[in-house]
Amino acid sequence: MHDWIVVGAGFAGAVMAERIASVRGEKVLVVDKRDHIGGNAHDRRNADGLLFHVYGPHIFHTNSSAIADYLSRFTEWRPYEHRVLASVDGQLVPIPINRTTINALYGLDLDEAGVEAFLAARAEPVENIRTSEDVVVSRIGRELYEKFFRGYTRKQWGLDPSELDRSVAGRVPTRTNDDDRYFTDSFQNMPRDGYTAMFERMLDNPLITVKLGVDALAIPAAERPLRMVYTGPIDAYFGHAHGKLPYRSLQFRHVTLDQPWTQTVGTINFPQDQDHTRVTEVKHLTGQSHPCTTLTYEYPSAEGDPYYPIPRPENEALFKKYEALARAEENTWFVGRLATYRYYNMDQVVGQALATFQKLDAALPRSDREAA
Ligand code: FAD
Ligand code: UDP
C-alpha cells in the first residue's frame, strides 16, 4: 500500500514525508508513538485557551534563507527576537553576557573597549580548547564562568562542563556591546499560528497517511513498507545492541497565572540556585493576547523521553558504532536529532532532512505515480 514508512512526526519526519510525497509522488505512512504531530516542537492550547509549547520553549531562528523559504510554504510568520535574563547574585542581568551584564554586576560604567579589556584581563588562556569549561574560561575567566555556566551546566546535563564538548557552552556567545538578543540570526520569526498548525499543512497531502500512538519498532519488518525514514533514537532502532546511548531528559511544569504578564523577557535562567534551569513565559514567544499567562519550568532529568544527545567523546564513539550499523541497513535512512545523535536546532534538522532527501531522490528511481 505505502512505499515508505516515516517513523516520527517531528521536523525530520515531516520534512521527509512532505518531500517524498510532493516531489516523488510516493505514498508515505507517517507514524509517531505520541498522540500528536510536531515532535518536540508540538504546541497546543491549554484549558484556558493559552497556546503553549508542550516540550519547552521553541524559538525559530536561522541564517539559511533556503530553510526559511522552504518552511514559509507552510506558515506565515510573526517577528520575534528572544531575550534572556540570568538570575545572578540577586540581580537579573542579560545572558549572553554583554556590556549591560558586566556593568550591572560590578557596578561599573565601562564602554565597549572597557568591557573588552575587563574580560581580556580575566580570560585564562587554554592551549587546547576541548571542553565547555575550556571554551568559557578562556573567553571570560573563572569567576564569570562559575556565576553563569558551571551551575547551570551541572544542573542541565548532570555533568561538569569539563566533561562536555566545547560545542555545548560554545552555543552561548559573549558580547561587549549592548545587544541583548539571545540569537543574532538573520531570520528570527515564530510560525504565526504555531508549530502544530505548520506541521498540519506539511502533512496535508493525499499521499500521506498519519497514524498516531503507534510504535514503529513493534511493527514486524514484513508488515512495513519497504523503505523507511527513521527519526527516533538510533540505539533503540538496533535494540541497544552496543549498549544505551545516553540522552538527557527534562520534566516540564506548566503553570497558568491569572495575570497578563509575569516576566519582562521570554526566559529567565537560574545558574546559581533552584532545581529548574529556566522559566519561560510563552506569550512572549507566541504573541498571544490573553488576560492570563503560562510559565514553563524546566527540570533536567536522567529519566524520561530523550531530548538531548550528550556531546562528549565517549558518547560520540558509541554513536559511531551505531552509525556503522545504520550505514549497512538497506532501504533505511536515519535523520534528525535523535537518529543522528546531533545537538541540532530545528533549522539544522530541516536542513539535514532536505539534504538527505536530495541524496535519496538522486539515488532512487522515482515511482511513476503522479506527484500530488
Ligand atoms: P523529535 O522532535 O524528537 O521527533 C522525533 C519523533 O519520533 C518524536 O515525536 C517521537 O515520539 C517519535 N518516535 C521515536 N521513536 C519512535 C518509534 N519507535 N515509533 C514511532 N515514533 C517514534 N530548537 C530550536 O531551533 N530552537 C529552540 O528554541 C529549541 N528549543 C528546544 C527546547 C527544548 C527543551 C528541547 C528539548 C529542544 C529544543 N530545540 C530547539 C530542538 C528541537 O526540539 C529539535 O531540533 C527538533 O524538534 C528535532 O526534530 P526531530 O524530528 O529530529 O526529533
Ligand atoms: N548555558 C549555561 N548558562 C546559561 C545558558 C546556557 O551554562 O545561562 C550552557 C549550558 O550548558 C547549556 C548550553 O550552554 O546547556 C547551551 O545553552 P542553550 O540555551 O543553547 O540550551 P538549549 O536551549 O538547547 O537548552
Side-chain angles (χ1 to χ4, degrees):
M1 283 288 288
H2 293 96
D3 305 297
W4 293 81
I5 180 168
V6 170
V7 181
F11 269 100
V15 172
M16 294 300 290
E18 189 282 326
R19 291 288 77 194
I20 291 167
S22 315
V23 179
R24 295 177 60 85
E26 292 165 358
K27 287 185 104 176
V28 189
L29 172 65
V30 178
V31 300
D32 202 298
K33 53 182 176 189
R34 291 170 168 163
D35 65 357
H36 59 71
I37 59 172
N40 288 336
H42 177 69
D43 54 15
R44 68 164 87 112
R45 282 172 202 275
N46 69 11
D48 298 303
L50 277 146
L51 183 62
F52 75 109
H53 293 182
V54 177
Y55 304 97
H58 278 72
I59 299 111
F60 190 81
H61 56 100
T62 189
N63 281 314
S64 161
S65 52
I67 290 168
D69 288 349
Y70 171 72
L71 291 176
S72 300
R73 300 179 195 181
F74 313 105
T75 187
E76 306 280 322
W77 300 95
R78 76 170 275 274
Y80 173 69
E81 292 185 317
H82 194 51
R83 288 182 168 76
V84 181
L85 295 173
S87 171
V88 169
D89 295 350
Q91 294 192 61
L92 291 177
V93 291
I95 174 89
I97 291 172
N98 69 5
R99 190 173 83 97
T100 317
T101 314
I102 299 296
N103 283 335
L105 272 186
Y106 292 95
L108 298 169
D109 187 23
L110 300 173
D111 60 10
E112 275 198 58
V115 174
E116 209 164 300
F118 179 97
L119 295 174
R122 282 161 179 78
E124 290 177 18
V126 176
E127 204 170 301
N128 179 12
I129 299 178
R130 284 181 307 106
T131 70
S132 279
E133 176 180 304
D134 297 340
V135 80
V136 179
V137 167
S138 66
R139 238 193 247 153
I140 60 174
R142 203 156 285 278
E143 184 174 296
L144 287 165
Y145 159 74
E146 281 175 5
K147 285 186 197 299
F148 286 85
F149 287 89
R150 187 154 187 261
Y152 187 103
T153 300
R154 291 175 73 102
K155 207 171 3 174
Q156 168 73 8
W157 300 94
L159 292 169
D160 191 78
S162 61
E163 300 171 294
L164 279 166
D165 189 83
R166 58 182 285 182
S167 59
V168 176
R171 288 165 62 90
V172 183
T174 310
R175 307 201 181 110
T176 51
N177 61 17
D178 294 328
D179 189 348
D180 62 349
R181 296 171 304 161
Y182 205 67
F183 308 109
T184 51
D185 301 50
S186 53
F187 185 95
Q188 301 189 48
N189 290 286
M190 296 291 288
R192 194 196 58 195
D193 307 319
Y195 288 99
T196 302
M198 180 176 77
F199 279 93
E200 277 165 2
R201 288 184 211 117
M202 292 172 86
L203 297 169
D204 181 17
N205 183 312
L207 295 176
I208 299 178
T209 311
V210 179
K211 283 199 178 154
L212 299 173
V214 174
D215 182 348
L217 299 179
I219 307 174
E223 291 171 26
R224 294 197 299 238
L226 174 68
R227 290 177 177 152
M228 177 188 278
V229 172
Y230 179 80
T231 77
I234 189 167
D235 58 336
Y237 180 91
F238 292 105
H240 307 104
H242 292 302
K244 277 205 155 189
L245 197 49
Y247 292 89
R248 189 71 171 160
S249 191
L250 294 167
Q251 308 292 330
F252 302 100
R253 187 161 66 92
H254 305 284
V255 179
T256 295
L257 301 175
D258 194 6
Q259 60 192 57
W261 292 103
T262 303
Q263 301 182 170
T264 56
V265 293
T267 298
I268 297 179
N269 284 1
F270 293 87
Q272 290 181 322
D273 51 18
Q274 311 292 344
D275 291 336
H276 49 267
T277 47
R278 57 188 179 190
V279 182
T280 298
E281 184 167 32
V282 71
K283 265 170 65 176
H284 286 280
L285 282 57
T286 61
Q288 190 179 7
S289 300
H290 197 287
C292 302
T293 192
T294 297
L295 300 177
T296 297
Y297 293 72
E298 295 176 56
Y299 299 88
S301 134
E303 308 300 322
D305 281 1
Y307 292 130
Y308 291 85
I310 307 178
R312 57 193 309 227
E314 50 266 65
N315 297 352
E316 184 62 16
L318 181 53
F319 166 68
K320 289 283 175 213
K321 290 189 182 177
Y322 282 111
E323 195 184 32
L325 293 178
R327 283 223 181 87
E329 198 75 354
E330 284 190 356
N331 288 316
T332 308
W333 286 262
F334 293 80
V335 193
R337 177 149 144 149
L338 305 172
T340 62
Y341 207 67
R342 289 285 167 269
Y343 186 176
Y344 275 168
N345 295 326
M346 295 180 280
D347 64 319
Q348 294 171 298
V349 171
V350 173
Q352 186 193 44
L354 291 174
T356 306
F357 172 76
Q358 276 192 344
K359 257 187 261 158
L360 76 76
D361 188 40
L364 298 177
R366 284 188 189 174
S367 105
D368 46 14
R369 220 178 271 134
E370 194 123 313

